[in-house]
C-alpha cells in the first residue's frame, strides 16, 4: 500500500488527504503539531454556545464554482455576506470605502461633487487599489485620495504589518480597494457564507474517511518513518532548517473579553484604522446568529513572528521576502516526492478558497485526475 504523509490538518492538508483517500483509495496519515485539526480556521463553541474563531475571524467567499462544489458534501453554509465597518474620527463608515462612505463623512455638497468627479473618471463599480487611487490630478480627488490613504490605510497597515503600505506589495492593500459604487459588502464574490456547523466540523467531515488517520500533537520532526509521498503545509524554511535564513511572518494575538450584553457592536468585525493599538474588534456571535445573553469579543493585535514565542499567521509580501522564498522554492523543486503547499508551504497570503483550489489543482497535476 502507498504511504502518504500530510503535514498539517488545515484546509490545504485536509483537502489533499480527502482526495488521495477517496479518489486513489490510498492510506493517508495526517499529522498536526497542534492539539486540533482545521489549522488557522479552527473554531469551537464556548460555554455561552458562541462559535469562536480561535485564530481570527474567518469568512468564506469565493468566485470558484469548483471550490464551492467541492465543499458542498461536507457542510451547509448560511448566507452571511460580510459588510465591512470601520470607525474613523468617531464615525462608523462602510468598508471598502465607497460612494455611500462619502456621504457619511463629508458635507453633502462636497460629497456630491466628489461623487460626480469619481463617476466622471471611473466606470461604475470599478475597484481601484489605493496605490492607484492615490495618483489624482484633480484637486478634490487628490484631497479624497489623501484622506482615504491616511484615515483608512496608513496607520492600520503600520499596526498590522509594522511597515507602511509602500513597503509591501500593492496586492495587500488592494484586497480592500476603493469601490466606485454603492455595494456595502466587503466581498463581491458569487459564493459567500459561514459553515453552519463551523469550519472545524467541515474539516472533520473531510478527514472522516476510512483511509485517513489523523495524529495530533505531533511535529514533523518527530516522524522517523519514510513515506512514498509527503505533502508539507508547514513553513518551507523550517523544513529546510532555515538554510537560507528565516522567512518573516506577522503574528496576531487576541485579547478575549466576555461582555454582559447581547451585542457589543453592530457588526462581526469593526476596524479601527486610526486609533488604538488593536487593528479590529471581532464579535463572533454575528456570524451564525448565535443566541446568548452574553457576547464575546476579541481585540486583535499584530506583532512579528518569533519562533517559540508565537505562531505564524501572515507571510509578508514584498520583494526581499519573495527573493528569499524563491531560494527555498528552487530547493523544494529539486527534491522528489515532497510537495509544499498552503499559506506556509507556498509562503503566500491566500484565503481559504485559494488554499482549497491549490490543493485540488496539485492533486490533479500529480495524479492526472
Ligand atoms: P493553516 O490553516 O495554517 O494550517 C497549517 C497547519 O500545519 C497548522 O495547523 C499547523 O499547526 C500545521 N503545521 C505546521 N508546521 C507543522 C509541522 N512541522 N508539523 C506538524 N504540523 C505542522 N481566509 C478566508 O478565506 N477568509 C477569512 O476571513 C480569513 N481570515 C483570516 C484571518 C486571519 C487572522 C488569518 C491569519 C487568516 C485568515 N484567512 C482567511 C486565511 C486562512 O486562515 C488560510 O487561507 C487557511 O488557513 C490556509 O490553510 P492552510 O492549511 O494552508 O494553513
Ligand atoms: N487595510 C487597511 N485598513 C483597513 C482594512 C484593511 O489598511 O481598515 C489594509 C491592511 O494593510 C490590511 C489589508 O488592507 O492588512 C488587507 O485587509 P483584509 O481585511 O483583507 O485583511 P485580513 O482580513 O486578511 O487580515
Amino acid at each position: 500500500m502507498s504511504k502518504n504523509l500530510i503535514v498539517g490538518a488545515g484546509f490545504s492538508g485536509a483537502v489533499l488527504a480527502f482526495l488521495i483517500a477517496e479518489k486513489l483509495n490510498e492510506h493517508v496519515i495526517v499529522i498536526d503539531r497542534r492539539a486540533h485539526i482545521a489549522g488557522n480556521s479552527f473554531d469551537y463553541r464556548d460555554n455561552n454556545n458562541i462559535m469562536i474563531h480561535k485564530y481570527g475571524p474567518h469568512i468564506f467567499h469565493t468566485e470558484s464554482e469548483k471550490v464551492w462544489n467541492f465543499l458542498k458534501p461536507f457542510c451547509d453554509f448560511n448566507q452571511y455576506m460580510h459588510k465591512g465597518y470601520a470607525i474613523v474620527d468617531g464615525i462608523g463608515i462602510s468598508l471598502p470605502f465607497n460612494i455611500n462612505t462619502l456621504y457619511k463623512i463629508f458635507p453633502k455638497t462636497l460629497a456630491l461633487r466628489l461623487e460626480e468627479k469619481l463617476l466622471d473618471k471611473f466606470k461604475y463599480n470599478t475597484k481601484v487599489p489605493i496605490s492607484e487611487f492615490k495618483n489624482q490630478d484633480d484637486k478634490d480627488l487628490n484631497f479624497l485620495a489623501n484622506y482615504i490613504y491616511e484615515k483608512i490605510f496608513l496607520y492600520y497597515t503600520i499596526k498590522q504589518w509594522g511597515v507602511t503600505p509602500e513597503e509591501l506589495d500593492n496586492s495587500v492593500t488592494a484586497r480592500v480597494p476603493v469601490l466606485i459604487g454603492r455595494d456595502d459588502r466587503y466581498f463581491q464574490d458569487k459564493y459567500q457564507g459561514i459553515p453552519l456547523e463551523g469550519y472545524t466540523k467541515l474539516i472533520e467531515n473531510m478527514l472522516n474517511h476510512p483511509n485517513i488517520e489523523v495524529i495530533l500533537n505531533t511535529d514533523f520532526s518527530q516522524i522517523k518513518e519514510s513515506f512514498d509521498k509527503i505533502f508539507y503545509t508547514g513553513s518551507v524554511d523550517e523544513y529546510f532548517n532555515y538554510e537560507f535564513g528565516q522567512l518573516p511572518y506577522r503574528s496576531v494575538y487576541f485579547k478575549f473579553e466576555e461582555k454582559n450584553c447581547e451585542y457589543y457592536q453592530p457588526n462581526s468585525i469593526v476596524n479601527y484604522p486610526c486609533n488604538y493599538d488593536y487593528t479590529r474588534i471581532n464579535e463572533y456571535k454575528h456570524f451564525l446568529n448565535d443566541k446568548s445573553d452574553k457576547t464575546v469579543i476579541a481585540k486583535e493585535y499584530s506583532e512579528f513572528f518569533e519562533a517559540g514565542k508565537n505562531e505564524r499567521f501572515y507571510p509578508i509580501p514584498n520583494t526581499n521576502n519573495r527573493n528569499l522564498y524563491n531560494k527555498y522554492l528552487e530547493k523544494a523543486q529539486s527534491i522528489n516526492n515532497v510537495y509544499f503547499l498552503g499559506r506556509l508551504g507556498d509562503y503566500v497570503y491566500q484565503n481559504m478558497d485559494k488554499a482549497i483550489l491549490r490543493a485540488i489543482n496539485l492533486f490533479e497535476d500529480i495524479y492526472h485526475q
Side-chain angles (χ1 to χ4, degrees), residues 95 152-153 156-157 160-161 172-173 175-176 186 271 273 280 314 349:
L95 264 187
I152 309 281
F153 289 99
Y156 187 104
T157 300
Q160 171 71 12
W161 297 95
V172 172
T173 46
R175 288 170 59 92
V176 189
Y186 209 54
N271 287 13
R280 50 192 183 188
Y314 295 88
Y349 181 7

Side-chain angles (χ1 to χ4, degrees), residues 14 30 42 52 68 70 79 87 149 163 200 206 244 251 274 277:
V30 181
F42 175 72
I52 307 289
W68 187 250
F70 177 82
Q79 293 189 325
I87 307 286
Y149 175 75
V163 294
T200 308
M206 232 178 245
F244 305 117
S251 190
C274 320
D277 293 339

Side-chain angles (χ1 to χ4, degrees), residues 273-284:
C274 320
N275 310 98
Y276 307 107
D277 293 339
Y278 43 82
T279 49
R280 50 192 183 188
I281 300 182
N282 312 313
E283 186 177 27
Y284 300 96

Side-chain angles (χ1 to χ4, degrees), residues 62-255:
T62 190
E63 270 297 324
S64 166
E65 203 154 346
K66 187 171 180 177
V67 168
W68 187 250
N69 287 339
F70 177 82
L71 289 179
K72 264 198 216 149
F74 305 110
C75 73
D76 290 320
F77 284 89
N78 69 8
Q79 293 189 325
Y80 181 86
M81 301 238 176
H82 187 59
K83 290 193 170 174
Y85 189 78
I87 307 286
V88 172
D89 293 340
I91 302 172
I93 61 159
S94 51
L95 264 187
F97 198 101
N98 65 27
I99 292 175
N100 293 334
T101 326
L102 292 176
Y103 288 86
K104 270 271 168 139
I105 292 185
F106 302 119
K108 197 166 172 202
T109 42
L110 176 58
L112 266 170
R113 195 161 77 236
L114 289 168
E115 178 180 4
E116 217 166 83
K117 289 193 172 183
L118 285 173
L119 292 175
D120 216 32
K121 177 152 187 188
F122 300 97
K123 219 171 134 222
Y124 190 72
N125 265 344
T126 313
K127 292 176 178 177
V128 193
I130 187 64
S131 53
E132 269 175 49
F133 193 78
K134 268 171 61 190
N135 308 321
Q136 302 292 346
D137 301 328
D138 178 85
K139 193 166 92 351
D140 286 331
L141 291 185
N142 191 43
F143 155 80
L144 177 64
N146 286 335
Y147 181 94
I148 297 175
Y149 175 75
E150 275 213 9
K151 298 286 184 183
I152 309 281
F153 289 99
L154 180 59
Y155 301 111
Y156 187 104
T157 300
I158 291 173
K159 280 193 273 185
Q160 171 71 12
W161 297 95
V163 294
T164 62
E166 291 69 33
E167 294 168 86
L168 296 164
D169 287 358
N170 288 338
S171 58
V172 172
T173 46
R175 288 170 59 92
V176 189
V178 178
L179 176 69
I180 316 299
R182 289 184 180 275
D183 187 343
D184 280 335
R185 294 173 307 162
Y186 209 54
F187 312 109
Q188 275 74 42
D189 293 305
K190 184 167 173 191
Y191 305 105
Q192 309 192 23
I194 308 287
L196 283 177
E197 293 185 272
Y199 294 99
T200 308
K201 185 70 185 164
L202 189 175
I203 289 183
E204 190 185 308
N205 291 342
M206 232 178 245
L207 294 172
N208 183 12
H209 192 286
N211 286 338
I212 299 178
E213 187 182 344
V214 177
I215 308 173
L216 297 175
N217 300 306
T218 304
D219 193 281
F220 180 59
S221 58
Q222 295 166 255
I223 300 291
K224 301 295 170 226
E225 296 164 62
S226 57
F227 287 85
D228 294 341
K229 284 196 174 58
I230 296 176
F231 298 92
Y232 192 88
T233 75
S235 194
V236 61
D237 57 345
E238 189 179 334
Y239 181 91
F240 290 111
N241 220 3
Y242 308 107
E243 188 177 329
F244 305 117
Q246 278 199 27
L247 284 167
Y249 285 89
R250 286 299 278 179
S251 190
V252 174
Y253 62 95
F254 302 91
K255 290 190 180 163

